[in-house]
Amino acid sequence: MLPLLLFLIFLVPLTPFMKKYLFLSLILWLSIAAVAQDSLRIKLDSLLRDPMFETSQVGLMVYDLTADSALYTYNHRQLMRPASTMKLVTAITALDQLGCRYQYETRIYYDGIIVDSTLTGNLYCVGGFDPTLTSDDVAMLADCVRRLGVDSIRGLLVADRTMKEAQDYGEGWCWDDENPLLTSLTVGRKNIFLTLFAEEIARLGINLERVRLDEGRRPVSARLLASCKHPITLVLERMMKMSDNFHAESMFYQTAASANKGVARAADARNITKRLINKIGLKADNYKIADGSGLSLYNYVSPELLTMLLRYAWRQRDIRDVLLESLPIAGIDGTLKDRMRGASTKGNVRAKTGTLTGISSLAGYCPAANGHSLCFAIINQGVMRNQIGRNFQDRVCRALCEE
């Protein structure tokens, strides 16, 4: 509305009467917007007077995407642990770096020679850190071996997990948590790909003569036999809706692999994330990026960083569409299925939740009552019962949607 009025007043030839009419409309529009913003400020100020903040802290930022201006800030530059809202940083960085049509790939190679339907050589199963890989995918890859025209194999079945660095856990993860093992060739997050692959080959009637399972790296001379691909959107959906840490770390390492250094390293993913932070106008050195899931106790970001990344994603149409589709929807699905079921928020708030001991966070998008689109980030810190933080976040979202 504001850009249109300014355009008409100053750039379009109009009669004095029409200019006066539009100028008065502009004054009225600005007055209504100011009243609405004052009303929101009063509501949020009231929420921040809750007794919970005698023993805990909060950082909060609300941004009007339609007007392209900050609506409300409180401790928005304080460095805090984001918990699983860190997955927003990972997702937006990956979509920006890799593209929304990027595909994860698991490949099968072979070497040696085939004589009388016998392969004297090795099969190499090269992991691409695809967390969505299933037993059906393994069966499909095994069938490609049958279609090679062999009924017997003499050699090794080799698991090549060298896509990423040999680091099983993320930096700053708690040793006593049930953390996912970060390896690049799994089925159902278990290190069973090679065993399942061998069983499927045998089930197809292929004789595994003197075959043993091994770990290693495929030689450059090996020939590609088959591949299995899954879109990044499939990984993103579970990563965001269900806050899946394994999926998030796989995306973190996919971003790292785009640095083309041979082996994907967490340090490469951090550097790419920092480049995006600088690109959106903030200083990357002010933050600590440790992992992709938010499990790490070493992550330190701010509500401002999360909000500005959400703003950046909103302004990239392809990223916006994919990200919005993946986020939990209040009262509908994912980690927000049982939250914000009221008329103003249900189906309207799309946001990523975050929970660690003492940390509760929420960041995402919602519409305002005036039709504007908003993004926001809330990090509650020092809350010993996370439900207290969630209740506060839900009240903030109601205030935003009812405004």
Side-chain angles (χ1 to χ4, degrees):
M1 182 65 177
L2 179 59
L4 177 60
L5 286 172
L6 292 173
F7 174 77
L8 291 173
I9 292 170
F10 295 107
L11 297 178
V12 176
L14 296 170
T15 64
F17 173 78
M18 284 301 298
K19 280 190 175 289
K20 182 178 181 180
Y21 173 78
L22 290 172
F23 186 74
L24 290 174
S25 297
L26 174 62
I27 297 298
L28 178 61
W29 187 89
L30 291 173
S31 299
I32 293 172
V35 170
Q37 189 164 346
D38 285 344
S39 175
L40 176 62
R41 187 177 294 108
I42 291 169
K43 286 183 179 181
L44 296 182
D45 284 346
S46 176
L47 292 178
L48 288 168
R49 289 194 289 270
D50 191 287
M52 66 181 285
F53 296 116
E54 294 176 6
T55 57
S56 68
Q57 306 82 46
V58 67
L60 167 63
M61 185 169 185
V62 182
Y63 198 91
D64 187 327
L65 294 162
T66 306
D68 199 19
S69 62
L71 276 183
Y72 191 89
T73 60
Y74 182 83
N75 287 342
H76 64 300
R77 289 178 178 156
Q78 291 292 307
L79 295 181
M80 298 176 167
R81 292 171 180 156
S84 279
T85 53
M86 189 69 191
K87 293 180 175 70
L88 282 168
V89 180
T90 301
I92 294 169
T93 302
L95 292 173
D96 185 63
Q97 177 73 10
L98 304 173
C100 298
R101 294 182 178 84
Y102 179 82
Q103 292 190 317
Y104 286 61
E105 185 174 13
T106 304
R107 293 163 292 154
I108 305 297
Y109 290 82
Y110 73 99
D111 64 7
I113 58 173
I114 300 174
V115 177
D116 296 331
S117 299
T118 296
L119 170 63
T120 302
N122 305 323
L123 290 173
Y124 300 91
C125 307
V126 182
F129 208 162
D130 183 349
T132 67
L133 208 61
T134 67
S135 56
D136 288 341
D137 295 323
V138 177
M140 180 275 291
L141 291 169
D143 189 60
C144 292
V145 177
R146 179 187 61 81
R147 286 189 275 124
L148 185 61
V150 301
D151 57 23
S152 183
I153 299 174
R154 298 173 181 171
L156 303 174
L157 296 187
V158 180
D160 184 338
R161 308 178 199 274
T162 60
M163 171 262 189
K164 65 173 290 292
E165 61 189 344
Q167 184 172 317
D168 290 337
Y169 301 105
E171 179 182 307
W173 287 10
C174 290
W175 64 270
D176 55 348
D177 283 348
E178 294 184 8
N179 298 316
L181 189 67
L182 303 182
T183 182
S184 64
L185 187 60
T186 63
V187 179
R189 339 173 165 248
K190 297 179 181 177
N191 248 342
I192 58 174
F193 181 97
L194 217 55
T195 301
L196 288 180
F197 189 59
E199 290 174 354
E200 285 296 328
I201 290 175
R203 187 183 64 80
L204 292 170
I206 300 174
N207 183 29
L208 301 178
E209 298 181 38
R210 299 193 295 273
V211 164
R212 63 185 177 89
L213 310 185
D214 201 3
E215 300 278 333
R217 180 189 291 269
R218 74 165 178 93
V220 176
S221 60
R223 288 150 283 180
L224 179 65
L225 173 61
S227 71
C228 177
K229 296 181 180 181
H230 291 133
I232 192 172
T233 50
L234 184 63
V235 178
L236 188 66
E237 181 178 8
R238 181 173 178 84
M239 166 182 162
M240 304 302 272
K241 295 283 190 188
M242 306 310 297
S243 201
D244 193 296
N245 295 319
F246 188 66
H247 282 53
E249 294 303 328
S250 79
M251 193 167 292
F252 192 61
Y253 275 100
Q254 295 298 320
T255 305
S258 70
N260 295 318
K261 293 184 178 179
V263 176
R265 304 180 190 279
D268 296 323
R270 294 183 193 114
N271 288 334
I272 292 170
T273 304
K274 288 178 179 179
R275 286 206 300 268
L276 178 59
I277 293 172
N278 288 328
K279 179 180 176 181
I280 65 174
L282 300 178
K283 294 182 179 180
D285 289 344
N286 291 343
Y287 310 99
K288 171 67 174 178
I289 308 297
D291 68 1
S293 62
L295 280 175
S296 177
L297 299 181
Y298 297 165
N299 289 311
Y300 277 97
V301 303
S302 68
E304 180 183 41
L305 172 59
L306 295 177
T307 303
M308 290 298 98
L309 282 170
L310 287 167
R311 173 183 178 269
Y312 176 78
W314 184 268
R315 293 161 70 91
Q316 318 302 313
R317 181 61 182 270
D318 54 343
I319 297 178
R320 180 208 312 181
D321 291 346
V322 170
L323 186 63
L324 281 174
E325 187 68 23
S326 73
L327 287 171
I329 306 172
I332 303 293
D333 65 14
T335 55
L336 287 180
K337 182 178 181 179
D338 298 321
R339 292 176 60 178
M340 293 181 277
R341 292 179 168 180
S344 65
T345 51
K346 183 177 180 180
N348 288 327
V349 178
R350 293 174 179 252
K352 183 69 200 74
T353 58
T355 304
L356 282 175
T357 301
I359 305 292
S360 180
S361 55
L362 186 72
Y365 302 100
C366 68
N370 65 357
H372 284 207
S373 297
L374 310 177
C375 66
F376 64 89
I378 312 164
I379 303 178
N380 289 96
Q381 188 169 265
V383 284
M384 299 315 294
R385 289 196 301 119
N386 285 311
Q387 187 60 49
I388 295 174
R390 289 193 285 269
N391 289 342
F392 171 78
Q393 296 151 19
D394 293 355
R395 291 196 296 269
V396 170
C397 288
R398 282 197 296 273
L400 298 181
C401 293
E402 292 171 358
E403 184 53 40

